[in-house]
């Protein structure tokens, strides 16, 4: 049975993202120390804590949730990632305008996020950025939805592809962002932004699967 995603899912997603950013804060800091300035874990942890705070009173729609996240990330997360994720969440909010999201709605939402990142950062795949997680995630989501997968399975496919995409950044030479200053020395390290993207999409799938689980008998 396919279950469309609703506002409760969106709130659970963002709470999950906050927990994931807190849990992986040091790992993201360490990855960013290797090829950047070491602030990515701190930035993302602060941003999603702020987003959860802003959403404490609840929200009326998926769009409201994603818009609140976008505004908070823009305001609280510095560096490259704040505006990039902020734009992604703003575009996803616009794409997720209805009461709920079906499988193709999820695909459209993720595609809008990727478009926002690329409009802002001008990176394409293979440049060792978060685009290398988002782009395969979007492709996998579309393939899953076209094959009849329900929204939770579409998100799970996206998350798995993002995780593989993040791992696949290790041998890449960075040609965008701070890591590009390192030239050849950027090779051999996993991109922090691609890594945070994989975690964020994984908890989107977790929240959808929890949303889908049969209600416990009272
Ligand atoms: P900063 O590099 O300003 O310190 P962060 O450390 O928070 O910002 O984020 C770094 C991440 O941002 C990188 O790992 C990469 O994934 C992403 N990034 C940087 N520049 C771009 C870009 N032009 N397009 C897409 N992603 C980018
Ligand atoms: Mg950094």
């Amino acid at each position: 049975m396919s279950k469309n995603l609703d506002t409760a899912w969106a709130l659970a997603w963002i709470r999950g993202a906050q927990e994931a950013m807190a849990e992986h804060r040091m790992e993201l800091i360490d990855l960013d120390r290797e090829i950047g300035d070491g602030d990515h874990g701190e930035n993302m942890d602060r941003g999603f804590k702020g987003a959860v705070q802003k959403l404490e009173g609840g929200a009326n729609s998926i769009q409201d949730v994603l818009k609140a996240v976008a505004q908070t990330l823009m305001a609280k997360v510095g560096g490259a990632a704040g505006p990039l994720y902020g734009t992604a969440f703003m575009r996803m909010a616009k794409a997720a305008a209805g009461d709920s999201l079906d499988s193709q709605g999820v695909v459209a939402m993720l595609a809008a996020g990727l478009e926002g990142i690329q409009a802002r950062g001008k990176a394409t795949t293979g440049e060792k950025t978060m685009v290398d997680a988002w782009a395969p995630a979007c492709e996998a989501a579309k393939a899953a939805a076209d094959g009849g997968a329900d929204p939770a399975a579409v998100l799970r496919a996206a998350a798995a592809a993002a995780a593989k995409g993040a791992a696949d950044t290790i041998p890449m030479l960075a040609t965008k962002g701070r890591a590009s200053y390192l030239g050849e020395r950027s090779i051999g390290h996993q991109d922090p932004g691609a890594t945070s993207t994989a975690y964020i999409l994984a908890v989107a799938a977790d929240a959808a699967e929890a949303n889908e689980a049969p209600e416990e008998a009272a």
Side-chain angles (χ1 to χ4, degrees), residues 170-217:
I170 294 172
M172 288 178 188
L173 172 76
T175 50
K176 282 280 184 328
R178 205 181 283 280
S180 66
Y181 308 154
L182 291 180
E184 301 277 327
R185 278 185 294 134
S186 67
I187 294 173
H189 304 282
Q190 184 165 316
D191 180 63
T195 308
S196 58
T197 291
Y199 288 133
I200 290 166
L201 294 181
V203 292
D206 291 346
E209 285 162 7
N211 202 42
E212 202 172 46
E215 299 277 318
E216 295 269 344

Side-chain angles (χ1 to χ4, degrees), residues 32 37 39-40 43 79-81 84 121 123 129-130 176-178 191-194:
D32 197 31
D37 57 356
D39 64 349
H40 190 63
N43 289 346
L84 288 165
T129 71
M130 59 176 74
K176 282 280 184 328
R178 205 181 283 280
D191 180 63

